[in-house]
Amino acid sequence: MAGHFDKALIFTDLHITVDGETIIGLDPLDRFREALAHALTRHGDAHHIILLGDLTHNGRPEEYARLQTALKECPLPVTVTMGNHDRRAAFDAAFPDASHNRAAQRALDMGRLRLLVLDTHDDEGRAPLEHDGYLYQPRLDWLDHELARAADEDREVVVLCHHPPCGTGFWAMDAIGLANAPELLGRLHAAPQVRHLICGHIHRTIHASAGGLPVSILKSTCHQMPMVLGPGASADSVDEPGAYGILVALDDCIVLHTEDFALSTGEVLSY
């Protein structure tokens, strides 16, 4: 039966480079422009756009400036957070309203849902590896506050962050996941209003369960992780179609669609 629903569009792992620099022969900005145009043409009625980290490839101011240009005419409100390839100073300069207390976190209401966007960028190098994610205590305190507020208002919650808190079978990527994942999952498992967790980072469409909590991981808008489980390198990449997520709140359930938008060669490469 048809009924009212609300939508948010989710893009992750844009990896915007400086002008003239490509990744495995792809221009990440061209790919993102194609993704955004594809999504706005088909889902212009969405309430929000969320960019889920790794906005740039090297965290350079010029890369963020190119992304700002691509977003300039976007008719929908855009929320941004950080991934492991981003850099705080350049991010804050490009998006001065995105961060509060050194965290690009935001609570967004979409119909009956509350979307909680978390910042997993490791500012201080507390995680074991360079590209690990880490949720500092002030960020977890913010999450506690927002989960309690959602419970008081009888809202269901979807949480979004760059680094997944669970394994995927891609060993090199799993090694640079969320370093303090138990601190996040413990909170989410204790909050019955949390319905779903959405992440990026892996450059692959993946559906998992972390202690019973549904987890969805979205593909990059640019280059993808080759579908080879087990040993491999985190920089292994393949020119397969980019994708974005469409989060839909129906009357009786929450649905996450993924939409591919670009053709590919299928050749496995490394950047």
Short mmCIF file of all heavy atoms in Angstrom, two decimals, residues 116-143:
data_model
loop_
_atom_site.label_atom_id
_atom_site.label_comp_id
_atom_site.label_asym_id
_atom_site.label_seq_id
_atom_site.Cartn_x
_atom_site.Cartn_y
_atom_site.Cartn_z
N LEU A 116 21.61 10.42 13.70
CA LEU A 116 22.75 10.88 14.50
C LEU A 116 24.02 10.61 13.71
O LEU A 116 24.41 9.45 13.51
CB LEU A 116 22.79 10.17 15.85
CG LEU A 116 21.55 10.36 16.74
CD1 LEU A 116 21.75 9.64 18.07
CD2 LEU A 116 21.25 11.84 16.97
N VAL A 117 24.67 11.69 13.26
CA VAL A 117 25.88 11.59 12.45
C VAL A 117 27.08 11.77 13.37
O VAL A 117 27.23 12.81 14.02
CB VAL A 117 25.88 12.66 11.34
CG1 VAL A 117 27.13 12.53 10.47
CG2 VAL A 117 24.61 12.54 10.48
N LEU A 118 27.96 10.76 13.42
CA LEU A 118 29.11 10.76 14.32
C LEU A 118 30.40 11.04 13.55
O LEU A 118 30.53 10.68 12.38
CB LEU A 118 29.24 9.41 15.03
CG LEU A 118 28.07 8.95 15.89
CD1 LEU A 118 28.37 7.59 16.49
CD2 LEU A 118 27.79 9.97 16.99
N ASP A 119 31.37 11.60 14.24
CA ASP A 119 32.68 11.93 13.69
C ASP A 119 33.69 10.92 14.25
O ASP A 119 34.01 10.94 15.44
CB ASP A 119 33.06 13.35 14.10
CG ASP A 119 34.38 13.82 13.52
OD1 ASP A 119 35.17 12.99 13.05
OD2 ASP A 119 34.63 15.04 13.56
N THR A 120 34.23 10.03 13.40
CA THR A 120 35.18 9.01 13.85
C THR A 120 36.62 9.34 13.46
O THR A 120 37.51 8.48 13.56
CB THR A 120 34.81 7.62 13.29
OG1 THR A 120 34.81 7.67 11.86
CG2 THR A 120 33.45 7.18 13.79
N HIS A 121 36.89 10.56 13.02
CA HIS A 121 38.25 10.93 12.66
C HIS A 121 39.13 10.96 13.90
O HIS A 121 38.77 11.55 14.93
CB HIS A 121 38.27 12.31 11.99
CG HIS A 121 39.64 12.77 11.60
ND1 HIS A 121 40.30 12.26 10.52
CD2 HIS A 121 40.47 13.68 12.16
CE1 HIS A 121 41.48 12.85 10.41
NE2 HIS A 121 41.61 13.71 11.40
N ASP A 122 40.31 10.34 13.84
CA ASP A 122 41.23 10.26 14.97
C ASP A 122 42.14 11.49 14.96
O ASP A 122 43.19 11.51 14.33
CB ASP A 122 42.06 8.98 14.88
CG ASP A 122 43.01 8.81 16.05
OD1 ASP A 122 42.84 9.53 17.06
OD2 ASP A 122 43.91 7.97 15.96
N ASP A 123 41.74 12.52 15.69
CA ASP A 123 42.49 13.78 15.71
C ASP A 123 43.84 13.67 16.40
O ASP A 123 44.80 14.33 16.01
CB ASP A 123 41.69 14.86 16.45
CG ASP A 123 40.51 15.35 15.64
OD1 ASP A 123 40.59 15.35 14.42
OD2 ASP A 123 39.51 15.73 16.26
N GLU A 124 43.94 12.85 17.44
CA GLU A 124 45.10 12.88 18.32
C GLU A 124 45.99 11.65 18.20
O GLU A 124 46.92 11.47 18.99
CB GLU A 124 44.62 13.05 19.77
CG GLU A 124 43.82 14.32 19.99
CD GLU A 124 43.24 14.39 21.39
OE1 GLU A 124 43.68 13.59 22.25
OE2 GLU A 124 42.37 15.23 21.62
N GLY A 125 45.71 10.78 17.24
CA GLY A 125 46.55 9.60 17.07
C GLY A 125 46.44 8.60 18.20
O GLY A 125 47.40 7.90 18.52
N ARG A 126 45.27 8.50 18.82
CA ARG A 126 45.12 7.54 19.93
C ARG A 126 44.95 6.11 19.43
O ARG A 126 45.25 5.16 20.15
CB ARG A 126 43.90 7.92 20.78
CG ARG A 126 44.07 9.20 21.54
CD ARG A 126 42.98 9.32 22.60
NE ARG A 126 42.92 10.64 23.16
CZ ARG A 126 42.05 11.01 24.09
NH1 ARG A 126 41.17 10.13 24.55
NH2 ARG A 126 42.04 12.25 24.56
N ALA A 127 44.46 5.95 18.21
CA ALA A 127 44.23 4.61 17.66
C ALA A 127 45.57 3.99 17.24
O ALA A 127 46.54 4.70 16.95
CB ALA A 127 43.28 4.69 16.47
N PRO A 128 45.65 2.66 17.20
CA PRO A 128 46.92 2.00 16.89
C PRO A 128 47.48 2.32 15.51
O PRO A 128 48.69 2.44 15.34
CB PRO A 128 46.58 0.51 17.01
CG PRO A 128 45.38 0.45 17.87
CD PRO A 128 44.61 1.70 17.58
N LEU A 129 46.63 2.44 14.50
CA LEU A 129 47.08 2.65 13.13
C LEU A 129 46.60 3.99 12.60
O LEU A 129 45.57 4.51 13.03
CB LEU A 129 46.57 1.52 12.22
CG LEU A 129 47.09 0.11 12.56
CD1 LEU A 129 46.43 -0.93 11.66
CD2 LEU A 129 48.61 0.03 12.46
N GLU A 130 47.31 4.52 11.63
CA GLU A 130 47.07 5.87 11.13
C GLU A 130 45.65 6.07 10.64
O GLU A 130 45.05 7.12 10.87
CB GLU A 130 48.05 6.19 10.01
CG GLU A 130 47.86 7.58 9.41
CD GLU A 130 48.77 7.85 8.24
OE1 GLU A 130 49.58 6.96 7.89
OE2 GLU A 130 48.68 8.96 7.67
N HIS A 131 45.08 5.11 9.95
CA HIS A 131 43.77 5.30 9.33
C HIS A 131 42.63 4.70 10.16
O HIS A 131 41.50 4.63 9.68
CB HIS A 131 43.77 4.74 7.91
CG HIS A 131 44.57 5.58 6.95
ND1 HIS A 131 44.10 6.77 6.45
CD2 HIS A 131 45.79 5.40 6.42
CE1 HIS A 131 45.00 7.29 5.65
NE2 HIS A 131 46.04 6.48 5.61
N ASP A 132 42.92 4.28 11.37
CA ASP A 132 41.86 3.84 12.28
C ASP A 132 40.92 5.00 12.59
O ASP A 132 41.29 6.17 12.52
CB ASP A 132 42.44 3.36 13.61
CG ASP A 132 43.04 1.98 13.53
OD1 ASP A 132 42.80 1.28 12.55
OD2 ASP A 132 43.77 1.60 14.47
N GLY A 133 39.72 4.66 13.00
CA GLY A 133 38.80 5.64 13.55
C GLY A 133 38.82 5.59 15.07
O GLY A 133 39.23 4.59 15.67
N TYR A 134 38.38 6.69 15.69
CA TYR A 134 38.34 6.74 17.15
C TYR A 134 37.26 7.72 17.59
O TYR A 134 37.17 8.83 17.07
CB TYR A 134 39.70 7.18 17.72
CG TYR A 134 39.87 6.87 19.18
CD1 TYR A 134 40.39 5.64 19.59
CD2 TYR A 134 39.51 7.78 20.17
CE1 TYR A 134 40.55 5.34 20.92
CE2 TYR A 134 39.66 7.49 21.51
CZ TYR A 134 40.18 6.27 21.89
OH TYR A 134 40.32 5.97 23.22
N LEU A 135 36.44 7.30 18.53
CA LEU A 135 35.41 8.17 19.10
C LEU A 135 35.88 8.64 20.48
O LEU A 135 35.93 7.86 21.43
CB LEU A 135 34.08 7.43 19.23
CG LEU A 135 33.27 7.29 17.94
CD1 LEU A 135 32.15 6.28 18.11
CD2 LEU A 135 32.70 8.64 17.50
N TYR A 136 36.23 9.92 20.57
CA TYR A 136 36.70 10.49 21.83
C TYR A 136 35.53 10.65 22.81
O TYR A 136 34.36 10.68 22.42
CB TYR A 136 37.39 11.82 21.57
CG TYR A 136 38.68 11.66 20.81
CD1 TYR A 136 38.70 11.71 19.42
CD2 TYR A 136 39.86 11.41 21.48
CE1 TYR A 136 39.88 11.53 18.72
CE2 TYR A 136 41.05 11.24 20.80
CZ TYR A 136 41.05 11.30 19.41
OH TYR A 136 42.22 11.10 18.72
N GLN A 137 35.87 10.77 24.09
CA GLN A 137 34.83 10.81 25.12
C GLN A 137 33.80 11.92 24.90
O GLN A 137 32.60 11.67 25.06
CB GLN A 137 35.46 10.93 26.51
CG GLN A 137 34.46 10.71 27.64
CD GLN A 137 33.82 9.33 27.58
OE1 GLN A 137 34.51 8.33 27.43
NE2 GLN A 137 32.49 9.27 27.69
N PRO A 138 34.19 13.15 24.54
CA PRO A 138 33.16 14.17 24.29
C PRO A 138 32.18 13.78 23.18
O PRO A 138 31.00 14.13 23.24
CB PRO A 138 33.97 15.41 23.91
CG PRO A 138 35.29 15.22 24.58
CD PRO A 138 35.55 13.74 24.48
N ARG A 139 32.66 13.05 22.19
CA ARG A 139 31.77 12.61 21.12
C ARG A 139 30.81 11.53 21.64
O ARG A 139 29.64 11.50 21.27
CB ARG A 139 32.59 12.06 19.95
CG ARG A 139 33.58 13.08 19.39
CD ARG A 139 34.39 12.49 18.25
NE ARG A 139 35.56 13.33 17.96
CZ ARG A 139 36.46 13.06 17.04
NH1 ARG A 139 36.34 11.97 16.31
NH2 ARG A 139 37.48 13.87 16.84
N LEU A 140 31.33 10.64 22.49
CA LEU A 140 30.46 9.62 23.08
C LEU A 140 29.47 10.25 24.05
O LEU A 140 28.31 9.82 24.13
CB LEU A 140 31.32 8.58 23.80
CG LEU A 140 32.20 7.71 22.89
CD1 LEU A 140 33.18 6.89 23.72
CD2 LEU A 140 31.34 6.79 22.03
N ASP A 141 29.89 11.29 24.78
CA ASP A 141 28.97 12.00 25.68
C ASP A 141 27.84 12.63 24.87
O ASP A 141 26.67 12.62 25.30
CB ASP A 141 29.72 13.08 26.46
CG ASP A 141 30.71 12.51 27.47
OD1 ASP A 141 30.60 11.32 27.81
OD2 ASP A 141 31.59 13.27 27.91
N TRP A 142 28.19 13.22 23.73
CA TRP A 142 27.16 13.79 22.85
C TRP A 142 26.19 12.72 22.39
O TRP A 142 24.96 12.93 22.38
CB TRP A 142 27.84 14.45 21.65
CG TRP A 142 26.89 15.06 20.66
CD1 TRP A 142 26.39 16.32 20.66
CD2 TRP A 142 26.34 14.41 19.50
NE1 TRP A 142 25.55 16.51 19.57
CE2 TRP A 142 25.50 15.35 18.84
CE3 TRP A 142 26.46 13.13 18.95
CZ2 TRP A 142 24.79 15.05 17.68
CZ3 TRP A 142 25.76 12.82 17.79
CH2 TRP A 142 24.94 13.79 17.17
N LEU A 143 26.71 11.56 22.02
CA LEU A 143 25.85 10.45 21.60
C LEU A 143 24.92 10.03 22.73
O LEU A 143 23.71 9.82 22.51
CB LEU A 143 26.70 9.27 21.14
CG LEU A 143 25.95 7.99 20.79
CD1 LEU A 143 24.99 8.22 19.63
CD2 LEU A 143 26.94 6.87 20.45
#
